């Protein structure tokens, strides 16, 4: 059987606040709020429940806004909150201008947004543009007859033409993106689940509907959008037959990224985004590195930023083809190459983003650090030191700031995520062994690992709900929780607050300043400097559970120690010795 290779589909000393003489940024262009922002990704279903139904909601978020303000973040990217039957946890929208009933009401939304504004926190909405729910009014109309005015809001293939050319579906139980509908004797296209039919962006009416929806939210005062799965929105609708042994690169070409995507994004920018000065971040996992600038180059007037999966994938990728499953936590030199390559790409144009995890990836400390009791705190702080000292907009995923870990389910029945469940059953059709291997990979890689409820305290449901949580709470809530972190001055949370404050105090260095890699071949230490021409900061990160050594960059001496997750700093002549997972930010002189 052919292989399904899935697509890459923060107190600080007073000095810090006093030393910020403005300097001309080195490297990148115009200053923007969204370049300077620290963005917090909030998965609303798992953040805070207020009514005891076991599902997080908007009133819950409003209750926790002081926590977010104290963290120091500037904006929130909120995963979908619109009306949805929740086949894919809100990524299947049945009404784009209504609130999902589990999440509350539009009045709750308005209160939440007002609470954010009062605290100087911006809101970025998740815009699901490639597909809707099959329960959306548009789709109900569309499937009702071939002559319905909404027919062309979706992609249909009349069955009298025979079977449509094969397209793989990322979530379908049978892996087939065309679903037969007897009502009109036609197949509809769904790249994701059967309940997520793809929208037809070639139809100008559909595009205008989407722009109206975007204006609705912008008029309410949101600051921008995260564009879900956007490269898929423009397809080659002549539906060419795919070569038998298609590769990953071909998959993307046949499935999306049609040149029309640039036309649609430019139209969206002209008709909507430019009028509101709204920020956009596209989910760009399937966009090849060489093509990135075609989307985010400001001269093209399309989107501001996108995010990629290269760092995440360097530590293992979720794939139906379990052969691709690998976790290599020692791949430090590989990570340096990826990060440096992306930094270089944006040295004169566009702007980079950086994240370790999100709702589609497992927990950062489990996957990229070391979540054993001995190293969980040190390695989580080390990872955050990286994240908040990059020339890129950093995304913090909720719960990571207290070092939440993978839950590691062992039985398929424990999983909620349709991706894990459906891929498991597909694997089972091949063999029990394949299914077992896939299940084992999911303990490390499943999206449900990062979707377990936020751990606020050590009580049975971690302060998330008074009811039964929709997904179990991780047992380590007894020690890994916000309440305990507030009392411990060495907690990951307190360290993250200090890092955010440092980034804010030294924007010219840590946001806009030049990035330079040092000691590139070192297999344990990731060393780089950030510099604005006036200040140079050295960042040292030990990504391993062993000791590491690295030279002080030539021509420099160590100055003030700005952050150190593991006191003390060991210096031996021109060499610095780092303890396992030690992270340092030092001013050079
Ligand atoms: O993900 C798009 C996507 O391409 C997925 O395949 C994703 O890379 C994969 O699930 C990672 O394991 C977006 C959303 O981020 C995801 O949560 C949704 O399920 C998906 O779109 C459908 O809307």
């Amino acid at each position: 059987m052919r292989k399904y290779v899935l697509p890459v589909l923060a107190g600080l000393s007073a000095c810090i606040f006093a030393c910020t003489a403005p300097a001309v940024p080195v490297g990148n262009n115009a200053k923007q709020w969204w370049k300077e922002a620290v963005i917090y990704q909030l998965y609303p279903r798992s953040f805070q429940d207020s009514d005891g139904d076991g599902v997080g909601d908007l009133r819950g978020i409003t209750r926790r806004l002081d926590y977010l303000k104290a963290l120091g973040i500037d904006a929130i990217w909120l995963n979908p909150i619109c009306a949805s039957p929740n086949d894919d946890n809100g990524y299947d929208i049945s009404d784009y201008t209504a609130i999902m009933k589990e999440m509350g009401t539009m009045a709750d939304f308005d209160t939440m947004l007002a609470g954010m504004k009062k605290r100087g926190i911006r809101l970025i909405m998740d815009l699901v543009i490639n597909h809707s729910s099959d329960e959306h009014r548009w789709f109900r109309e569309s499937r009702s007859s071939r002559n319905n005015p909404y027919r062309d809001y979706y992609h249909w293939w009349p069955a009298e033409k025979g079977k449509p050319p094969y397209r793989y579906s990322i979530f379908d139980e049978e892996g087939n993106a065309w679903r037969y509908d007897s009502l009109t004797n036609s197949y509809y296209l769904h790249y994701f689940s059967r309940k997520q039919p793809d929208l037809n962006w070639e139809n100008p009416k559909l595009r205008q509907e989407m722009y109206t929806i975007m204006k609705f939210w912008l008029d309410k005062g949101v600051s921008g959008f995260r564009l879900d799965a956007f490269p898929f929105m423009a397809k080659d609708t002549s539906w060419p037959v795919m070569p038998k042994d298609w590769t990953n690169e071909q998959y993307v070409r046949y499935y999306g990224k049609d040149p029309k995507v640039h036309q649609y994004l430019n139209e969206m920018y002209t008709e909507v985004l430019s009028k509101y000065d709204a920020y956009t971040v596209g989910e760009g996992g399937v966009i090849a590195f060489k093509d990135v600038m075609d989307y985010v180059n400001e001269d093209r007037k399309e989107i501001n930023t996108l995010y990629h999966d290269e760092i995440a994938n360097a530590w293992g990728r979720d794939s139906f083809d379990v052969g691709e499953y690998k976790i290599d936590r020692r791949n430090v030199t590989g990570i340096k190459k990826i990060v440096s390559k992306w930094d270089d790409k944006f040295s004169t144009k566009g702007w980079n983003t950086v994240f370790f995890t999100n709702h589609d990836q497992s927990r950062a400390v489990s996957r990229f650090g070391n979540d054993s009791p001995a190293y969980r705190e040190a390695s989580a702080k080390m990872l955050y030191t990286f994240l908040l000292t990059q020339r890129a907009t950093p995304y913090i995923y909720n719960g990571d700031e207290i070092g939440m870990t993978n839950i590691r389910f062992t039985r398929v029945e424990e999983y909620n995520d349709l991706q894990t469940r459906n891929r498991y059953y597909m694997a089972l059709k091949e063999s029990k062994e394949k299914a077992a291997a896939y299940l084992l990979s999911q303990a490390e890689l499943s999206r449900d690992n990062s979707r377990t409820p936020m751990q606020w305290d050590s009580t049975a449901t971690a302060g998330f709900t008074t009811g039964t949580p929709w997904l179990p709470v991780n047992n380590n809530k007894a020690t890994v929780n916000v309440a305990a972190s507030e009392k411990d001055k060495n907690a990951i949370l307190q360290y993250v607050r200090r890092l955010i404050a440092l980034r804010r105090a030294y924007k010219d260095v840590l946001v806009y300043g030049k990035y330079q890699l040092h000691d590139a071949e070192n297999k344990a230490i990731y060393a780089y400097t950030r510099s604005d021409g006036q200040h140079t900061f050295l960042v040292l990160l030990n990504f391993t559970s062993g000791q590491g050594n690295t030279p002080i960059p030539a021509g420099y001496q160590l100055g003030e120690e700005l952050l150190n997750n593991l006191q003390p700093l060991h210096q031996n002549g021109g060499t610095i010795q780092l303890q396992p997972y030690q992270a340092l930010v030092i001013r050079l002189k």
Side-chain angles (χ1 to χ4, degrees), residues 9 88 91 131 171 192 226 228 283 359-360 419 447:
L9 276 174
D88 184 20
Y91 281 99
H131 45 265
F171 293 160
F192 294 89
R226 175 248 184 203
D228 182 63
E283 184 193 24
H359 67 293
D360 287 336
Q419 176 168 298
R447 311 195 297 179

Side-chain angles (χ1 to χ4, degrees), residues 48-54 461 463-469:
Q48 180 67 64
D49 179 23
S50 73
D51 59 3
D53 69 352
T461 56
F464 165 67
T465 181
T466 54
T468 305

Side-chain angles (χ1 to χ4, degrees), residues 439-556:
L439 200 56
L440 199 62
S441 77
Q442 292 303 286
E444 296 301 332
L445 296 171
S446 171
R447 311 195 297 179
D448 276 350
N449 280 306
S450 63
R451 297 179 177 186
T452 62
M454 180 76 180
Q455 294 164 212
W456 296 102
D457 59 38
S458 60
T459 60
T461 56
F464 165 67
T465 181
T466 54
T468 305
W470 71 279
L471 202 60
V473 177
N474 193 311
N475 276 334
N476 62 14
K477 60 180 182 293
T479 49
V480 181
N481 65 67
V482 171
S485 306
E486 294 285 9
K487 287 188 209 125
D488 174 6
K489 69 176 182 14
N490 291 318
I492 301 163
L493 176 65
Q494 314 255 9
Y495 185 84
V496 172
R497 287 178 184 155
R498 289 199 286 277
L499 263 166
I500 293 176
L502 184 72
R503 188 172 175 87
R504 176 163 294 142
Y506 286 106
K507 282 181 187 164
D508 288 330
V509 189
L510 291 175
V511 176
Y512 297 105
K514 189 173 158 22
Y515 159 96
Q516 192 182 341
L517 180 65
H518 296 274
D519 200 9
E521 298 307 318
N522 194 319
K523 290 193 164 56
I525 312 295
Y526 187 173
Y528 52 92
T529 46
R530 299 295 314 282
S531 176
D532 68 349
Q534 189 183 353
H535 307 277
T536 299
F537 292 177
L538 175 66
V539 181
L540 299 177
L541 310 164
N542 185 352
F543 269 81
T544 71
S545 57
Q547 305 270 345
N549 295 307
T550 190
I552 297 170
Y556 287 106

